[in-house]
Amino acid sequence: EKFENRNIQAKFNNAFYGAVFPWKRDIKAALKPLQENINLALGVGEIEYASYSTLNYSWLSLAAGKSLESLNNELIDIIELNQKLQQDFQVITNQLCRQFVLNLFGSNSEVTQLSGEAFNEDEIIPRMINSHNMHFMVYYYIPKTMICYLFKDYSAAYTIIQETAKHQDTGKGLHLWVQLNFYQSLTYLTFYNSAAKFQQQEFLEKVEKNQITMKKWAENAPMNFQHKYDLVEAEKARYLEKPLIAMDFYDIAIAGAKQYGYIQEEALGNELAAYFYLSRGQKKIAQVYLTEARYCYLKWGAKAKITALEREYSELLTQQPKKYQIIFNF
């Protein structure tokens, strides 16, 4: 800035706001600078860095809990821009992000399959594996894990996690690895009760290792990571049959996610708390949490998730309160 070197600024801003800023400051505060950097980079001919900024913007927007409807509209423009710039990697990676969003909207009958209007995993993934494009595969594996976990295909989530582990040194600075840490721990815990003793210990060790890392991240940027740490602690206490600890951590995690605007993780926290209370036969309390989960998923825009909850828990979600009506007009 001092020497008005806009070309270097364009490169630096992309790296700083996309890969450094989220580890110390609120992710949402990185979004506007990344948007501005797209225009800055285009203005000085740094096409590649304009395109990388679109990539960081879209995936950080998803991680920050941005409205799915709003993000979908932005992704349409972002993909069109990258197509004009002929930046193929950024095109397909943003298309993947959009397909994840569309699946949550409910536009795909097979909700855990990332194939549809924007992206076709059956066509693109074999091509990427054959070309040894492991950087892209990290982008693919992590949202695939998330969508499988969110729609309770835990076996598929576990399989994808095992594949991702082979590429754990790829793109290590990407914020996406936070989501892997988080969903990996949650997935391991779902298998705890059905696992053999030695596997239970193995799962707990992996969760503990993840939690040590998440705790470090939370110490540097609690607004981004503390509620994730707390929600995993709640689930761990649930499976280790420490109900009082679980109760406290569910509420702390939900409050933290709400305070910092992580609507998708506020929803998930309420959903998991509801399952905890259902497992204890406390249906009335579970209904309160499940209703709140549905409301949060509505605010986020995850219509497919709401449909899945209402199908599975129709007895507890019989009537939709008036304030939740007329939100989806896609």
Side-chain angles (χ1 to χ4, degrees):
E1 289 175 353
K2 180 178 178 180
F3 295 101
E4 298 183 359
N5 190 326
R6 293 164 68 81
N7 293 76
I8 291 179
Q9 271 184 269
K11 295 176 182 179
F12 174 82
N13 287 346
N14 172 69
F16 179 69
Y17 289 107
V20 178
F21 192 92
W23 303 104
K24 289 291 287 183
R25 299 286 184 268
D26 191 333
I27 287 175
K28 290 177 284 299
L31 300 181
K32 186 176 179 182
L34 282 168
Q35 273 185 319
E36 292 171 347
N37 198 56
I38 296 167
N39 292 325
L40 170 64
L42 288 173
V44 295
E46 294 287 354
I47 289 172
E48 184 179 6
Y49 286 90
S51 194
Y52 279 131
S53 289
T54 69
L55 201 58
N56 283 321
Y57 176 81
S58 57
W59 288 93
L60 285 179
S61 292
L62 183 64
K66 189 165 195 172
S67 154
L68 294 175
E69 182 178 11
S70 173
L71 181 54
N72 180 55
N73 292 334
E74 289 179 318
L75 279 164
I76 291 170
D77 293 335
I78 283 170
I79 292 164
E80 184 181 350
L81 171 64
N82 282 298
Q83 287 170 333
K84 288 178 180 176
L85 298 175
Q86 299 182 340
Q87 299 292 307
D88 292 341
F89 177 82
Q90 288 86 338
V91 168
I92 62 169
T93 311
N94 279 308
Q95 286 174 332
L96 169 61
C97 185
R98 184 169 178 241
Q99 190 59 54
F100 180 84
V101 170
L102 291 173
N103 277 32
L104 287 167
F105 273 171
S107 66
N108 192 347
S109 58
E110 295 194 37
V111 73
T112 60
Q113 298 302 305
L114 292 171
S115 295
E117 179 185 335
F119 184 85
N120 187 328
E121 65 181 358
D122 295 330
E123 174 191 331
I124 294 171
I125 298 310
R127 197 173 71 193
M128 291 295 148
I129 292 173
N130 290 337
S131 64
H132 303 288
N133 192 334
M134 291 303 107
H135 192 65
F136 174 82
M137 292 306 295
V138 170
Y139 273 98
Y140 167 73
Y141 285 141
I142 294 173
K144 182 71 173 178
T145 300
M146 292 166 63
I147 202 84
C148 289
Y149 179 85
L150 286 171
F151 289 93
K152 296 189 174 184
D153 190 347
Y154 301 128
S155 295
Y158 182 81
T159 300
I160 296 293
I161 285 167
Q162 302 311 108
E163 284 299 310
T164 314
K166 298 174 186 177
H167 312 293
Q168 60 186 354
D169 294 325
T170 304
K172 202 62 176 177
L174 293 172
H175 185 269
L176 278 172
W177 285 103
V178 174
Q179 302 292 53
L180 178 67
N181 177 304
F182 182 51
Y183 280 93
Q184 187 181 65
S185 293
L186 294 176
T187 300
Y188 286 145
L189 289 168
T190 63
F191 289 101
Y192 183 80
N193 285 344
S194 60
K197 286 287 183 185
F198 77 93
Q199 284 181 310
Q200 288 182 335
Q201 186 60 34
E202 190 177 299
F203 287 148
L204 280 179
E205 286 173 2
K206 288 179 177 180
V207 170
E208 283 299 328
K209 185 178 178 182
N210 281 346
Q211 285 292 80
I212 289 169
T213 303
M214 187 69 81
K215 187 66 176 174
K216 280 184 187 175
W217 293 337
E219 286 168 359
N220 286 305
M223 74 293 293
N224 296 331
F225 308 119
Q226 186 63 51
H227 65 278
K228 295 178 178 68
Y229 175 88
D230 293 334
L231 187 53
V232 171
E233 286 296 296
E235 283 286 274
K236 189 173 71 174
R238 169 191 171 189
Y239 287 105
L240 293 177
E241 298 183 3
K242 298 177 180 178
L244 295 178
I245 294 174
M247 289 175 194
D248 283 345
F249 270 111
Y250 282 123
D251 287 340
I252 291 168
I254 291 164
K258 184 172 186 175
Q259 179 182 356
Y260 292 108
Y262 285 88
I263 189 68
Q264 79 282 28
E265 284 149 11
E266 183 186 350
L268 181 59
N270 276 289
E271 182 184 354
L272 294 178
Y275 299 158
F276 163 73
Y277 284 106
L278 280 173
S279 72
R280 294 173 58 78
Q282 295 173 280
K283 283 190 175 183
K284 286 189 176 181
I285 300 175
Q287 185 175 33
V288 172
Y289 282 97
L290 206 55
T291 301
E292 192 63 24
R294 178 175 62 180
Y295 174 60
C296 290
Y297 282 125
L298 265 170
K299 281 182 69 178
W300 188 32
K303 186 178 181 182
K305 184 63 183 173
I306 298 157
T307 301
L309 285 177
E310 290 178 344
R311 187 186 301 122
E312 188 171 0
Y313 300 102
S314 56
E315 181 187 343
L316 295 176
L317 295 170
T318 50
Q319 290 187 336
Q320 191 165 306
K322 291 182 181 178
K323 69 173 182 176
Y324 301 157
Q325 297 285 348
I326 337 175
I327 289 182
F328 290 100
N329 296 304
F330 302 133

